Amino acid sequence: MKFIWGKKELTLMIIPGANRRTVRIKLPQSSLYIVPSVILLVLIGFLVAIHLMNIHFRETKDTMQQTFDGQERQLVDQITLKDSELEQLQNNLIDLSQQADDFKGKLEEIKKLNHVVQLMSQTGGTSKNSQPSGVTTDVGGEDVPVSSEQVSQMVTDTKQDLTSLVGDINVLLADLTESESKLQEAERIREITPTLWPIDSHTITSDFGVRRDPFTQKPTMHTGIDFDGELNDPVYATAAGKVIEAGYDDQHGNHIIIDHSRGLQTEYMHMNKLLLRRGDTVVKGQKIGLVGTTGRSTGTHLHYEVHRNGVQINPYPYLLTNRKGDR
């Protein structure tokens, strides 16, 4: 290829080789300046495009880096927060587990109390062996991080403990309700059972049974117990009940009969003064009259009887308490 210079145009000859036709291309002379200028402009445009692309790439990179840094910081903050929350949950779980242990100890104490209540109500309940809850005190040790398996096991154990506690509480509440009912019934029976001595004196001058009558000297049935006492010594109701008779007759003198339900009645005779009237309600140990010698009597004393289903029985087995303050 060679150029042939002319006045106004250039001839570009392309000689491919032997036996080949020569190609001639005529170009205006101005193309000698235009072509390099175009090539230069193209190179400049290409360089400018590359520069702009680099600028855009750097801006995109910076933007992505900033976004990544922000997301990384946010993720780190979230992880830190989650770690803190997890640690707090673990601490709460430990507290809950310790509270469950403490509650089990209290529940054992309530069970023991319930056993006492059962004994008081004479239910014949049997005691249950129980181990006291352990008391742990933090005194130091190696700082070993807790594993997820250990936390999971603690959750399982605590859940089982709480489930067991709920079951124990339900059973205990039922037992307490039954024991309370039995205890109330036992207390009611105790109040209406004549177990007190009717006067402060425990000196018996005549027992229940066959004796020689002090007036006729003939064998007679003594249907009660005579207690020695001073004039106007207090007489007490030996059980709670209702006065069904209060008055005077030649045989009994001033006397009171108290009905205690369940077929039991008590009678107090020869009193100097009555402090109750028929229809009055009496509590156990209440003062109902004063010792005297009215009616068929040879001296100051209290004649005391216990009736069961209308039949006089020996009062002595019912004299269980030594003081009127004991119910």
Side-chain angles (χ1 to χ4, degrees), residues 182-238:
K182 291 181 178 179
L183 186 60
Q184 290 176 349
E185 178 62 16
E187 176 66 17
R188 188 187 73 85
I189 293 176
R190 185 173 68 91
E191 285 295 316
I192 63 176
T193 302
T195 57
L196 293 182
W197 289 69
I199 64 174
D200 293 331
S201 171
H202 290 182
T203 301
I204 297 176
T205 57
S206 183
D207 287 324
F208 177 87
V210 178
R211 70 168 185 176
R212 194 182 302 274
D213 186 271
F215 289 96
T216 66
Q217 300 301 312
K218 295 180 180 180
T220 56
M221 180 64 186
H222 190 230
T223 56
I225 293 179
D226 289 343
F227 295 93
D228 186 27
E230 299 294 331
L231 184 65
N232 292 329
D233 280 351
V235 178
Y236 306 103
T238 57

Side-chain angles (χ1 to χ4, degrees), residues 83-246:
D83 289 341
S84 176
E85 292 177 350
L86 179 60
E87 183 178 356
Q88 183 63 40
L89 288 176
Q90 292 173 352
N91 289 330
N92 292 341
L93 180 60
I94 293 174
D95 293 339
L96 180 61
S97 178
Q98 292 176 348
Q99 291 174 2
D101 290 339
D102 294 340
F103 191 73
K104 284 194 292 185
K106 296 296 183 183
L107 188 60
E108 292 300 330
E109 295 179 3
I110 296 176
K111 287 181 179 179
K112 293 178 182 178
L113 179 60
N114 181 45
H115 176 59
V116 174
V117 172
Q118 289 178 346
L119 292 179
M120 292 176 63
S121 60
Q122 299 180 350
T123 59
T126 57
S127 61
K128 299 180 181 179
N129 294 328
S130 60
Q131 296 181 355
S133 59
V135 179
T136 59
T137 303
D138 297 332
V139 294
E142 185 179 357
D143 184 12
V144 180
V146 64
S147 66
S148 59
E149 291 80 7
Q150 292 170 330
V151 173
S152 177
Q153 186 62 43
M154 180 177 289
V155 171
T156 301
D157 293 342
T158 303
K159 182 179 179 181
Q160 291 176 349
D161 288 343
L162 292 177
T163 301
S164 177
L165 283 175
V166 171
D168 288 344
I169 289 173
N170 290 334
V171 173
L172 183 59
L173 288 176
D175 290 344
L176 285 174
T177 301
E178 181 180 1
S179 297
E180 181 183 11
S181 177
K182 291 181 178 179
L183 186 60
Q184 290 176 349
E185 178 62 16
E187 176 66 17
R188 188 187 73 85
I189 293 176
R190 185 173 68 91
E191 285 295 316
I192 63 176
T193 302
T195 57
L196 293 182
W197 289 69
I199 64 174
D200 293 331
S201 171
H202 290 182
T203 301
I204 297 176
T205 57
S206 183
D207 287 324
F208 177 87
V210 178
R211 70 168 185 176
R212 194 182 302 274
D213 186 271
F215 289 96
T216 66
Q217 300 301 312
K218 295 180 180 180
T220 56
M221 180 64 186
H222 190 230
T223 56
I225 293 179
D226 289 343
F227 295 93
D228 186 27
E230 299 294 331
L231 184 65
N232 292 329
D233 280 351
V235 178
Y236 306 103
T238 57
K242 184 176 182 180
V243 177
I244 60 173
E245 186 174 331

